[in-house]
Structures are given as C-alpha cells and as structure tokens.
Amino acid sequence: MTTPRFHGVIPPVVTPRTADGALDLHSFGTLIEYLIAGGVHGLFVLGSSGEVAFLTDAERRTVIEEAVRVTAGRVPIVVGLNEMTPARMIDQLQLVEAAGADAIVATAPFYARPSAAEIEAHFRLLAAATTLPVFAYDVPVRVYNKLSVEMLVRLGSEGVIAGVKDSSGDDVAFRRLVLANRAAGSPLVLFTGHEVVADGALLWGADGIVPGLGNVDPRRYVEMYNASQNAEWDRARDLQEDLCALFEIVFQAQGVSGEAAGLGAFKTALVRLGVIATNRMSPPVPPLDNDTTDLINAIVDRAGLLVR
Amino acid sequence: MTTPRFHGVIPPVVTPRTADGALDLHSFGTLIEYLIAGGVHGLFVLGSSGEVAFLTDAERRTVIEEAVRVTAGRVPIVVGLNEMTPARMIDQLQLVEAAGADAIVATAPFYARPSAAEIEAHFRLLAAATTLPVFAYDVPVRVYNKLSVEMLVRLGSEGVIAGVKDSSGDDVAFRRLVLANRAAGSPLVLFTGHEVVADGALLWGADGIVPGLGNVDPRRYVEMYNASQNAEWDRARDLQEDLCALFEIVFQAQGVSGEAAGLGAFKTALVRLGVIATNRMSPPVPPLDNDTTDLINAIVDRAGLLVR
Amino acid sequence: MTTPRFHGVIPPVVTPRTADGALDLHSFGTLIEYLIAGGVHGLFVLGSSGEVAFLTDAERRTVIEEAVRVTAGRVPIVVGLNEMTPARMIDQLQLVEAAGADAIVATAPFYARPSAAEIEAHFRLLAAATTLPVFAYDVPVRVYNKLSVEMLVRLGSEGVIAGVKDSSGDDVAFRRLVLANRAAGSPLVLFTGHEVVADGALLWGADGIVPGLGNVDPRRYVEMYNASQNAEWDRARDLQEDLCALFEIVFQAQGVSGEAAGLGAFKTALVRLGVIATNRMSPPVPPLDNDTTDLINAIVDRAGLLVR
Amino acid sequence: MTTPRFHGVIPPVVTPRTADGALDLHSFGTLIEYLIAGGVHGLFVLGSSGEVAFLTDAERRTVIEEAVRVTAGRVPIVVGLNEMTPARMIDQLQLVEAAGADAIVATAPFYARPSAAEIEAHFRLLAAATTLPVFAYDVPVRVYNKLSVEMLVRLGSEGVIAGVKDSSGDDVAFRRLVLANRAAGSPLVLFTGHEVVADGALLWGADGIVPGLGNVDPRRYVEMYNASQNAEWDRARDLQEDLCALFEIVFQAQGVSGEAAGLGAFKTALVRLGVIATNRMSPPVPPLDNDTTDLINAIVDRAGLLVR
C-alpha cells in the first residue's frame, strides 16, 4: 500500500488580520513557517477555519497566492472552494487555479436546498470543470445536508472525486465510509476534521487529519499521526488527550458565535505563542475580549507550547 | 396614513433560460411586460425565486440591467442581495447599484453561523455601505436563523432598514412584528412572502406581498391586494382561494428538490401561458418532466389563465 | 351548512396547583366556571397547556373527572391523549372513557421515530379502540413530525378521525388542509391552536380555536369568533389585536423553558385576575419569579380584565 | 483502579413477540441465555432497542420480572426508565423497583421542552426517589436535548447519577466527558451506545458498551472489550470491523422507520440464528418483509454466526 500524495496532518490555516482589519500577510507567512516547522504534510487555506465565507474574492486570491509563494512547494496547498451552486463555484475555480492550488475541497450546494441527485450532479459538474483533484467537504452543520456514503464511494470509484474531508461529526457514517471505500479498492483519501477524536479516526483507517487546533500545536498532531502509522495506539491516545486539554480554549468564550469562540480562540492562542499579531476576526465577528483571552492564555501556557 | 413607495404586489421574478442553458432575455422581457400589464407595484429580481444562488456575478448583473431597461421606471426594481457575509455582500452592492436597483433585499449571513449580535452588525455594516433602502429578508429555511422582532423594529426605528420581507413561515412572529412596528410609528414596510395566506397577512396589516406565484397570475394578486385596501375581506379570501388552487402546481413533482418542484412549476406554467420559452432550470436543478408538466398544465388550464 | 358539535372557542384548560404542589381542584373549578361564564363552546383538558406531560395517571383521571363533574354537561369536554405509541395510548383510553370525556385529541407517536405509514396506522389503531370522536393533534414542535394534509383528509373521509387541532405553526399547510377538507365534503372539523392569528384562520375557514390565552380572556375570544361568524373581519381583527397585546405576557420571562414562560404566564395572569390561587407549575418547571410577575400583572391590568 | 460493578458489554435486549403480537417470553428467555453464554457483563432491558416506548406498563413489568427470573443474578439487570417528566418517571419507578432491577437508565424529559436547569432538576428529583443507581441516557435523536458535559460531571460528583449511557452520536462531547470525568475523580461510569465505533470509545476510556447489535453477536463484542482491556487495539479494531460488516443488516430495509429497519434487522437476524421465533414488531411498526429478510440472512450467514 502506497501513501497517497495528500495524507497526514493538513491544518486549515487561519487567516490573520491586522489591527485595522486588513489581511495580515506578514503574520500569515509566519504562521505558515510555524506549521511547516511543525512537520505538517500540507496546508489547507480558505477552509471554514480560514474564514472563507468572510473573505472577498480579492482577499481569497491574495491568500492563495501568498500561501503558494511562502510555501514554495515544500508541502501541497489545498484550497477550500465554497460557493452556493456549481456555476458560482466554477467561477471561483478560475481564481483558485490561477493562484496555484494543488487540490480543492468543495462543499455541497448551500442556501439552495438540493436533492441528493442534485448534490451528486453538483460534484460532477465541478470536477468536469477542473483538472485539480477534488475533495468533497462534508459539513452538514453549515450546508444542512449530509453526503451519503454510497454517493461518495461512487464518485470516488468513477474518478470524480479524490477524497473526502469529513466534518460531519457522524462517526458511524465515517466508519462506514472507511470500510466501503476499502471494499471498493480505496479510491478515496479520507480526512477527518474532528481534532479531538482523530486518534480514533486513525485507528479506523483515516488517511489524515484537518485539525483547526493544528494551527496552534502542529507538532503534536504530527507526532500523533506518526504514532498511528506505527500502530502505537496508546501513545496516539495520550497525545490526543494532551490536544484535547488544549482544545478547551474553544469553550472559554460565552454567549458568542461558534466562529467567534472557536476561530477566535485559535487566533488568540497564536498571538500568545507569538506567531501572529492580533486576534482580530472578520466582520461581523468580534474578537475575543480580555477576560476570555486570559483564560485562553492560561490553557496555552499550561500546555507548554511557548515555542518562541 | 400615506402609502409607502414600496407596497402592494411585488413578485419575485423568475429567471428564464433558453434550451441551451443561457439566460433567456427575450423571455425575461416578455415576463416583465406580463407582470406590469397585470398591475404589479414593483418587481423583485434576484430573489430565491429568481434562482439568485445559481447565477454567476455576470448573470446577476445582466438580470438587473435588463430589468431596469425593460421596466424603464414604470415600477420600482427591488434586487435580492444574497451573500454569506457583509464583506461579500458589500462587494455585490457595487454591482447592484451600478446596474440601477431601487432597493435591496438582503439576507442574514449564512454558511457562517452568526450570533444575534453578529446578524444585527451585519445589517448595520451593509446599510452603512449603500444609500439604497435595505429590506431585511427573513428566510430561516435557507439561512437557518430567524430575525427577531425586536431587532427588526430597532433597526427600522434607527433608519438602518426600510422594511422586511418575511418568508419565515412564522405567522405568530409576523403578527408581533406588525404590531410592534405600528407601536414604534411604522418605520418598517412589511411584506409577506407566503403567497397562499396573503389575505390573512393583509388583514393583519402587511403593506404588501412578494408572491412567487405572482409570476403566473399577477392580476389576481393585484385584485386581492385592492380588495384588502377596501377592507373587502370576503372578496380577498375568495381571490386567495383561487390562487391557492393554482398554487397546487408546486406540489405535482415528486422526489425532487424544492427548487425543482416550486420554481420549476412556475416556469412550466409560464410556458403554458406563452410568456416564456422553456422550463429549463439552472444546474444542477433539472427541469420538470413531461408527466409533471401535464399535471401542471391541467391545473393552469382549469384556473382560466390562458391569456394569450 | 350545519354547525358541527365541536366548534368555536375551546380553551386548553390549565391545571392549577396549590402552594405545596398538589392539584388545586378548587381553583380548577373556579377556572371552569370563569371559562363557561366567558361563553366558551367547550373545554379541552389535559392538553399541552394543561401540563398533561407532567401529570401522573392518577392526576389525569382526577382532572377529567373534576372537569366532567363541574361542567355537568353545559359544554363538551375534550381530553388530550398523549402517549408515545398506540399501545400506551389505548391503555390511557380506558381511563379517559371511564372518566367521561366527550372526545379525544391525540398526538402522533413520539420518542418513537415513526414513518408516515406508521403515523397513519397509529391513528387507525387508536380510533378502532374507542367510540369517542378522535381529533388528530398536529404539534411538530413536540413530536417532531408534521401530519400531512393528504393523510388527515384521508382519515377524515374514512371516518377514522373527526377533526384536527393544528398547532403546527404552518399556516400554508393549514390553508391547504382547509381547502382539501372542503373539497372532500368537509369530513373534518378544523381547529387552530395559534391564539394570535386566529382571525386569519377563521377567515380561511377554521371551525374553531383552541387558545391557551383563552384561559385568561375567554370572552374576547368568543366575541372574535362571533364576529367571524358574521363576517365582521375588521372587528375580528381588532379583537385579535387586543388579544395579541395581552399575549405579550408569555414573552416576559427570560432564560426559562417555553412551559415556564408561556403556561407560567397564563397561570400568573389568572392569579392576578383572582381566578386561581397560585402560579405554581409541575416539577421540574419553576414558577415565574416576582419581577416577571410584576411585568405580567402590568400587561393584564392594561388589558382591562380585572373581572372580579 | 478497580473495575466498576457496571462495565463491559451490556446489550439492550430486544423484546420478542409471538406471531399474534403477544410478548414471547420463551424467545426472551432463550435470548437471555444466548447473551449470557456470549459472556455479556449485564443486560439492559426496556431500552429503546427493547421497544420500551411501545410497551404497556403491564408488558414492561413482565419484561423486567422475566429478565430477573431467567438471569437469576448471573449478571446485573439494568432497566430503561422512559417517561416524559419526573412525576411520570417516579410512578414507573415503583414498577421497576418491585420487579427487581439493579439500576435504571433514565432519559431527560421529552414531549416537554425543558431548559437546561429543568433537565438537571429532573435527574435530581428522580435520584431522590430511588436507592437504585441512576444512569443518565443521552439520546438527543429521541428527546431533542443533549445532556451537557458540565451537568453530567456535576451530577456525578454529587452522587446524583452513577453513570451515563451516551447515544448522542457526538463523539467530541463524549471525549470531553471522558476527560472531565477523569479530572473529577471518575465518579461516572461511561457507556457508549454506538456499536460500530466502540473500539474508539474504549481507546478513549469508555467503561463499557451498550450495543444493539450485541443481541446478534454478543461474543464478538465481549472479545473486543477484552482486547481493549489488554490494550490490543489492532485486534479490537479488527473485531469491530467484523461487527461493522454485520451491522449492515440495519441498512437493508428501504423506506421504513428507523425502528422497523434497525430493530427489525436485529430480530430478523436472531430468527435466522434460531434464537427467537419471529421478527414481529410492536404496532404500528411493521415487520421486515421477505426480500429484506433474505438480504439480512445473507449478511448474517457471511458473518459465520449460525451458532445453533
């Protein structure tokens, strides 16, 4: 069995902003170096964690181009493609391809209310419009449809999609997907997006992880992945538990949106670690306040991550 | 009490396509003339019924420009603004303003998962970026958040928004909105999007209707609206019941998406009436098949609407 | 057209408790007299507003028997039948029949996750087990299934059910139900449970109302119903608006459950009116606190309802 | 670290029926012997898999008594307590205690729409009414509330509840629960109800499994549990994968309810294995048809489970 090109730890890179709200390309570059130094196997830009929904087309282009420039081929660049319907997604595709992406991660339609057949047609239309590998992004909490195991394996077997990023939170379906994919000859590369149960996903047969928390502690995710490749499950579990302790940063903010609490916590921790300059979010999402920042800093400090 | 500029029957105009999938501007122009001849008080383009989520930016621009050109000021043109977050919505705003819109109808953020405070900030950011009147579009079935009565009246009282298009299906909340708005001095113009209970909404105090079915039978909606202005409620109810009978066209298709069944039915009926050329939908939505078309045609014929 | 036996205003009677948590039969009797004096056309006991889910079987039996005893045939007694599945519902039926109910109002299965076919079979099994008229209670917010228009009219046409109590909040479906029922020869008697849009429902053709707020102001609901029977729609609307103002009592409590806020408000208002003794709720629902009580009392006082 | 009394594999025993719909106590006894011979560590009767929602009180009592009688103390009997509110649950408690249960597994309120505070009060009221250990059953797919990690650990630390049966499908929360419980000194015994990802749950620190599929193949679950106790994770994973292959029986039926497809599959497989007499379900749930039975039998036969 050969290792697929896309595998291992591919964090969904956050998009730093300056104090006045502009893209902070300096911080973005520093973050990419931090992640590569941590040993990650790829970078996923313009994911939900990258605030893709909040970026203009111009900002999206800048983010990809800068990621490609800074990375300079050291690891592959996977790009989130995030639009309501095929026509709009294919429009974005030109931007993404021109900027130098190595693969795309595409959602099902949203705002639209597609049937299962329409979701499948959507992925077929998209794949027909690009030569890049297409990963299906399964994120029902945002698009309000779950991608079916049967459709995913069928699209994989026909070469329409190259893999799946599973952020469905439905581990029963993920387990079925792993086994159905294997029975079909493993056409799909399978990633889990759930950063606190990745040891389990790896035990079950996931090819990799797309952990938002990997922005903060890339090295430990890489070590966990390596442990899993050696079937050192107790060690993988122990590393995951350390990461779970760190993940508590996302539960510190109260009464705010998930974006504010979760992505805000990643940015706040990265400020504490000296990697990026501010915890500023994209409007209308507010940055976390000082009290929450203190709580997050304490958790980060306990985790022993002050690497600079 | 003066009648507000935006009031009455403002149908969400469907976007016809040719047999090869392009925008069908000829049919679009014919449809606009059909609606204006029916007496409508405005046109709402790029709404959900206009398949806004399925149109590229270039197509969106063309639709607005063509609506403005054909209408030539006879009725106001209201334009749907439909993007995930404020930054992307404000980008679209330039397109919409340049093309000549008279007002915009904007959703809450989607794909993003905003808090109530973020939704409110979203509308404030949007309104600050345009001189056009902003209507808030309340459509939880697509964006998965309900706009609160309190927020809407507050934004109206402060002059941030000019009105609301309510497609929430929550008539209890709509009734509260009508009364809270009146208590605040009626800063908001209130439209219902529910085409089969509009007689009730008018009885309660709605200023107008945005009926998808109004594409098919604009005149009867206008007559119902006029009856309501004369407090002829039994007559309004009878006209609404005729429209309910016609609305059954949207329930004829089985096992397809809501877009395919509902918007497909409107287009199919307009073909039967000779107003547009095809019932072609935007990908990945399939057009309705021949059997369903026969069922729809029979309902349309019974309604006595073969106006050409 | 003859008036059906069950029609008009049939409030879902709340179940008073004493300060130590027991059923307060004295208050219950006083409340029934207050409602009958208000002109109601029937009483609905053991509905959701009657806290049926919180009562033991012994308490349920006592409530029905006491309602039957106090009412003494002056108006019919409709009883909520509220169990997870047919077998358990049929068990309860014995209790309900023995205690003297005139009709039952039964939910779809819950906790169970039935298919549409199983829901239909459920009502058929229930109806086969009793000679009492069966009303289907459509309350998706509690049982997480919507009863379909087609099934309801089919069950009505076959004589399985006598009517529907619609608390679905889906007025589009309710309108379709009214029209489909009429087309089928009106086998069903149709009630709406939505107390603030009842003028609309009556305009559309509802036979009656089951208003929780009718506990507090029965007379005004009766006057609205009478206005509707005379097609005095402006008057019905005005009375409904007064009732909407009063309904604001249910929005005063913050951060509590719907039962605590809504049913708690009805009880609190009835204490203010001198009809019942306490606003005590069934465990684990807390009674409303003094601050909320003050807000509710102010609304009640403004409504001019201090009838004793 | 000592092993808690309740641990390991505790299948939720299905409730067999005869061809004429009565409880089939002979099959029930045979099934219990089959499970004990398979090495299970306890029996859970009157769970969702035991069709508790479909059984009358008399049937519930019979099921517990028969389980106690047949088991004769060889393994503990855990009993599902499944009612809408505390008062009704406490009523059932008498039945459960008299029949000889060793522990109870209780849901949050349902049909009612409780606040978080009311859910917590519900468990406190219940625990105060019994000397039996209380397990909280977290099943949002049926009761539409998720039990919070914080509440569960608090109730455990105060001795109100003894453990949790997690059927939430939310593994992120389950992981947090495992770690928060450990940080609190492990007051709670933690079971997962998800039969196809139990290897992961055991890796994370679950104390046991409540697998519906354990009715069909108890021995393999016990072997997987034993492997986990020896930290033989690859072996646990392999056994789990065999069980996943068998679990496909629940996906064979199309267009029926979850109860019909899932519980119907367990019963159908047990008929194939010669353990019980019929695959009859409780009304209104239909038994699986012959075509589906053939598909299930083929899966069962492939799994090498024809033990008699």
Coordinates of all heavy atoms in Angstrom, one line a residue, chain D residues 15-45:
Chain D
T15 N -37.2 -7.1 22.6 CA -38.3 -7.7 23.2 C -39.1 -8.5 22.1 O -39.8 -8.0 21.3 CB -39.3 -6.6 23.8 OG1 -38.5 -5.8 24.6 CG2 -40.4 -7.2 24.5
P16 N -38.9 -9.8 22.1 CA -39.6 -10.7 21.1 C -41.1 -10.7 21.3 O -41.6 -10.6 22.4 CB -38.9 -12.1 21.3 CG -37.8 -11.9 22.2 CD -38.1 -10.7 23.0
R17 N -41.7 -10.8 20.1 CA -43.2 -11.0 20.1 C -43.5 -12.3 19.4 O -42.8 -12.7 18.5 CB -43.9 -9.8 19.5 CG -43.8 -8.6 20.3 CD -44.9 -7.5 19.9 NE -44.8 -6.4 20.8 CZ -45.4 -6.2 22.0 NH1 -46.2 -7.2 22.4 NH2 -45.3 -5.1 22.7
T18 N -44.7 -12.9 19.7 CA -45.1 -14.1 19.0 C -45.8 -13.6 17.7 O -46.0 -12.4 17.5 CB -46.2 -14.8 19.8 OG1 -47.3 -14.0 20.1 CG2 -45.6 -15.3 21.2
A19 N -46.2 -14.6 16.9 CA -46.8 -14.3 15.6 C -48.2 -13.5 15.8 O -48.6 -12.8 14.9 CB -47.1 -15.5 14.8
D20 N -48.8 -13.7 17.0 CA -50.1 -13.0 17.2 C -49.9 -11.7 18.0 O -50.8 -11.1 18.4 CB -51.1 -13.9 17.8 CG -50.7 -14.4 19.2 OD1 -49.6 -14.0 19.6 OD2 -51.5 -15.2 19.7
G21 N -48.6 -11.3 18.2 CA -48.4 -10.0 18.8 C -48.1 -9.9 20.3 O -47.8 -8.9 20.8
A22 N -48.3 -11.0 20.9 CA -48.0 -11.0 22.4 C -46.6 -11.0 22.7 O -45.7 -11.3 21.8 CB -48.7 -12.3 23.0
L23 N -46.2 -10.7 23.9 CA -44.8 -10.9 24.4 C -44.5 -12.4 24.2 O -45.3 -13.2 24.6 CB -44.7 -10.5 25.8 CG -44.7 -9.0 26.2 CD1 -44.4 -8.8 27.7 CD2 -43.8 -8.2 25.3
D24 N -43.3 -12.7 23.7 CA -42.9 -14.1 23.5 C -41.8 -14.3 24.6 O -40.6 -14.2 24.4 CB -42.3 -14.2 22.1 CG -41.8 -15.7 21.9 OD1 -41.8 -16.5 22.9 OD2 -41.5 -16.0 20.7
L25 N -42.3 -14.8 25.8 CA -41.4 -14.9 26.9 C -40.4 -16.1 26.7 O -39.3 -16.1 27.2 CB -42.2 -15.1 28.2 CG -43.0 -13.9 28.6 CD1 -43.6 -14.1 29.9 CD2 -42.1 -12.6 28.6
H26 N -40.9 -17.1 25.9 CA -40.0 -18.2 25.7 C -38.8 -17.7 24.9 O -37.6 -18.0 25.2 CB -40.7 -19.3 24.9 CG -39.8 -20.4 24.6 ND1 -39.3 -21.4 25.5 CD2 -39.2 -20.8 23.4 CE1 -38.5 -22.2 24.9 NE2 -38.4 -21.9 23.6
S27 N -39.0 -17.0 23.8 CA -37.9 -16.4 23.0 C -37.1 -15.5 23.8 O -35.8 -15.4 23.7 CB -38.5 -15.7 21.8 OG -39.0 -16.6 20.8
F28 N -37.7 -14.7 24.7 CA -37.0 -13.8 25.5 C -36.0 -14.5 26.4 O -34.8 -14.1 26.6 CB -38.0 -12.9 26.3 CG -37.4 -11.8 27.1 CD1 -36.7 -10.8 26.5 CD2 -37.6 -11.7 28.5 CE1 -36.2 -9.7 27.2 CE2 -37.1 -10.7 29.2 CZ -36.4 -9.7 28.6
G29 N -36.5 -15.6 27.0 CA -35.6 -16.4 27.9 C -34.4 -17.0 27.1 O -33.3 -17.0 27.5
T30 N -34.8 -17.5 25.9 CA -33.7 -18.1 25.1 C -32.7 -17.0 24.7 O -31.4 -17.3 24.7 CB -34.3 -18.7 23.8 OG1 -35.4 -19.5 24.1 CG2 -33.3 -19.5 23.0
L31 N -33.1 -15.8 24.4 CA -32.2 -14.8 24.0 C -31.3 -14.4 25.2 O -30.1 -14.2 25.1 CB -33.1 -13.5 23.6 CG -32.3 -12.2 23.4 CD1 -31.2 -12.4 22.3 CD2 -33.3 -11.1 22.9
I32 N -31.9 -14.3 26.4 CA -31.1 -14.0 27.6 C -30.0 -15.1 27.8 O -28.8 -14.8 28.1 CB -32.0 -13.9 28.8 CG1 -32.8 -12.6 28.7 CG2 -31.1 -13.9 30.1 CD1 -33.8 -12.4 29.8
E33 N -30.4 -16.3 27.6 CA -29.4 -17.4 27.7 C -28.3 -17.3 26.7 O -27.1 -17.5 26.9 CB -30.0 -18.8 27.6 CG -31.0 -19.1 28.8 CD -30.3 -19.2 30.2 OE1 -29.0 -19.2 30.2 OE2 -31.0 -19.1 31.2
Y34 N -28.7 -16.9 25.5 CA -27.7 -16.7 24.4 C -26.7 -15.6 24.7 O -25.5 -15.7 24.5 CB -28.5 -16.4 23.1 CG -27.7 -16.0 21.9 CD1 -26.9 -17.0 21.2 CD2 -27.7 -14.7 21.4 CE1 -26.2 -16.6 20.1 CE2 -27.0 -14.4 20.2 CZ -26.2 -15.4 19.6 OH -25.5 -15.0 18.5
L35 N -27.3 -14.5 25.3 CA -26.4 -13.4 25.6 C -25.5 -13.7 26.8 O -24.3 -13.4 26.7 CB -27.3 -12.2 26.0 CG -28.2 -11.7 24.9 CD1 -29.1 -10.6 25.4 CD2 -27.3 -11.2 23.7
I36 N -26.0 -14.4 27.8 CA -25.1 -14.8 28.9 C -24.1 -15.8 28.5 O -22.9 -15.7 28.9 CB -26.0 -15.3 30.1 CG1 -26.8 -14.2 30.7 CG2 -25.1 -15.9 31.2 CD1 -27.8 -14.6 31.8
A37 N -24.5 -16.7 27.6 CA -23.5 -17.6 27.1 C -22.4 -16.9 26.3 O -21.3 -17.4 26.2 CB -24.2 -18.7 26.2
G38 N -22.8 -15.8 25.7 CA -21.8 -15.0 24.9 C -20.9 -14.2 25.8 O -19.9 -13.6 25.3
G39 N -21.1 -14.2 27.1 CA -20.2 -13.6 28.0 C -20.5 -12.1 28.4 O -19.7 -11.4 29.0
V40 N -21.7 -11.7 28.1 CA -22.0 -10.3 28.4 C -21.9 -10.0 29.9 O -22.1 -10.9 30.8 CB -23.4 -9.9 27.9 CG1 -23.5 -10.1 26.4 CG2 -24.5 -10.6 28.6
H41 N -21.7 -8.7 30.2 CA -21.5 -8.3 31.6 C -22.7 -7.8 32.3 O -22.7 -7.4 33.5 CB -20.4 -7.3 31.7 CG -19.1 -7.7 31.0 ND1 -18.9 -7.6 29.7 CD2 -18.0 -8.2 31.6 CE1 -17.7 -8.1 29.4 NE2 -17.1 -8.4 30.5
G42 N -23.8 -7.8 31.6 CA -25.1 -7.3 32.2 C -26.1 -7.3 31.1 O -25.8 -7.5 29.9
L43 N -27.3 -7.0 31.4 CA -28.4 -6.9 30.5 C -29.2 -5.6 30.7 O -29.4 -5.3 31.8 CB -29.4 -8.1 30.6 CG -28.8 -9.5 30.4 CD1 -29.8 -10.6 30.8 CD2 -28.4 -9.7 28.9
F44 N -29.5 -5.0 29.6 CA -30.2 -3.7 29.6 C -31.6 -4.0 29.0 O -31.7 -4.2 27.8 CB -29.5 -2.6 28.9 CG -30.2 -1.3 28.8 CD1 -31.0 -0.8 29.8 CD2 -30.0 -0.5 27.7 CE1 -31.7 0.4 29.6 CE2 -30.6 0.7 27.5 CZ -31.5 1.2 28.5
V45 N -32.6 -4.1 29.8 CA -34.0 -4.3 29.3 C -34.7 -3.0 29.3 O -34.4 -2.0 30.0 CB -34.7 -5.4 30.1 CG1 -34.0 -6.7 30.0 CG2 -34.9 -5.0 31.5

